[in-house]
Amino acid sequence: MAWRSTRVLVGADLAAAVLLILVDMRGTGPTDALRGIGGAVAGPPERALSWVRTQAGQRLGGSAADQERITVLEDQLAQARATAGAAAAGELAADQTKELAALAPAQGYATVAARVVSATAAQDPVRSVGVSAGSGQEVRPGLAVIAADGLAGIVDSVSPQVSTVRLVVDPATEVAARVASSGEIGVFRGTGDAGRFELLDPLGAMAAGDLIITLGTPSRDLPAGLPLGRVTAVSGSAADLTRAAEVAPAVDDSTLDRVLVLVPEARGEGAS
């Protein structure tokens, strides 16, 4: 009967370890006390698997049948963690998709969802990323690519399933833009790691903190109102006949993942 008791205890240990892992994934709350008690037995969830093996090995004596049972328990524990992790990842992806959809124009554009599959280094003179959508999804050069925080870049070249997107910070980027608060028009240019916005009217209102947005193009390839970034510093004066601003990009390309390609419906009807 002793061996039955030890096996029951191992099962209880596993159940406690699984419970602690699921509790840990849910974050802080009224179950903190439970985690504190369990921590004295099993330690952090990251050590639960090794703890189960150590405790079970000591109690069961390490026979072949016992070790096989321990392996099964470990597999069950790993599967529980994987299932919980996949669910959390799915919720995050859904949230990101909602954020992207909220930024896209309400009318006149179809959207093609894609993920970043490659990127140039930050020190590279050409700043671009590859995304998982191409001509097979009605994507073509010149179209806008948005992330949750604003304009990520413009499609530069396409293949059937992959496109190269020139980021807004690339030195070759030049976009008609305006100051969101005052409506003043100017030109935004990439500087490699940030942006520079130059007013057409040196007397126009502009200050640090102002949001710079796209002006839009007659072809509608680039919609109006997409965030480019915020002014961090202003230089020049009316006497200099020029006024420009340094702009921190709205989109952090170092964490870029899910994006939408905006396809004008008149030219890309049927894209999704």
Side-chain angles (χ1 to χ4, degrees):
M1 297 298 291
W3 65 272
R4 290 179 179 272
S5 298
T6 55
R7 287 176 183 271
V8 170
L9 185 54
V10 169
D13 289 339
L14 174 64
V18 172
L19 178 59
L20 288 170
I21 286 171
L22 296 178
V23 167
D24 186 77
M25 287 181 174
R26 289 183 174 273
T28 57
T31 52
D32 285 346
L34 175 61
R35 272 204 302 276
I37 296 171
V41 179
E46 290 75 6
R47 297 200 300 273
L49 287 175
S50 61
W51 178 84
V52 168
R53 176 175 286 279
T54 299
Q55 296 299 315
Q58 291 174 353
R59 291 167 182 165
L60 298 179
S63 69
D66 291 339
Q67 291 301 321
E68 181 178 354
R69 177 58 176 163
I70 293 170
T71 299
V72 171
L73 295 177
E74 287 180 325
D75 289 343
Q76 292 174 350
L77 186 57
Q79 289 172 9
R81 291 199 67 182
T83 299
E91 292 177 1
L92 177 60
D95 290 343
Q96 292 176 335
T97 300
K98 289 179 182 178
E99 291 176 353
L100 286 169
L103 183 64
Q107 295 180 340
Y109 291 86
T111 59
V112 179
R115 298 194 71 170
V116 172
V117 295
S118 64
T120 58
Q123 63 271 23
D124 198 301
V126 176
R127 300 299 313 282
S128 65
V129 297
V131 300
S132 60
S135 57
Q137 293 78 38
E138 305 294 335
V139 175
R140 56 182 172 77
L143 298 184
V145 179
I146 64 172
D149 296 319
L151 182 66
I154 298 171
V155 177
D156 196 44
S157 62
V158 300
S159 64
Q161 299 300 324
V162 177
S163 299
T164 299
V165 178
R166 185 177 73 249
L167 297 173
V168 295
V169 296
D170 184 90
T173 297
E174 185 172 297
V175 177
R178 70 165 74 244
V179 181
S181 59
S182 67
E184 293 291 340
I185 296 173
V187 178
F188 173 93
R189 296 181 177 88
T191 61
D193 59 356
R196 180 178 173 84
F197 176 72
E198 185 172 339
L199 285 173
L200 295 184
D201 179 3
L203 297 177
M206 181 171 62
D210 281 344
L211 178 65
I212 305 300
I213 59 176
T214 56
L215 184 62
T217 59
S219 67
R220 297 175 56 247
D221 286 355
L222 181 61
L226 298 178
L228 288 164
R230 288 193 179 275
V231 174
T232 58
V234 179
S235 61
S237 65
D240 299 328
L241 300 181
T242 180
R243 261 184 106 211
E246 302 302 317
V247 180
V251 175
D252 181 359
D253 59 83
S254 68
T255 60
L256 201 56
D257 182 17
R258 297 178 185 274
V259 297
L260 291 180
V261 184
L262 302 182
V263 183
E265 288 182 343
R267 296 187 181 184
E269 189 173 357
S272 59

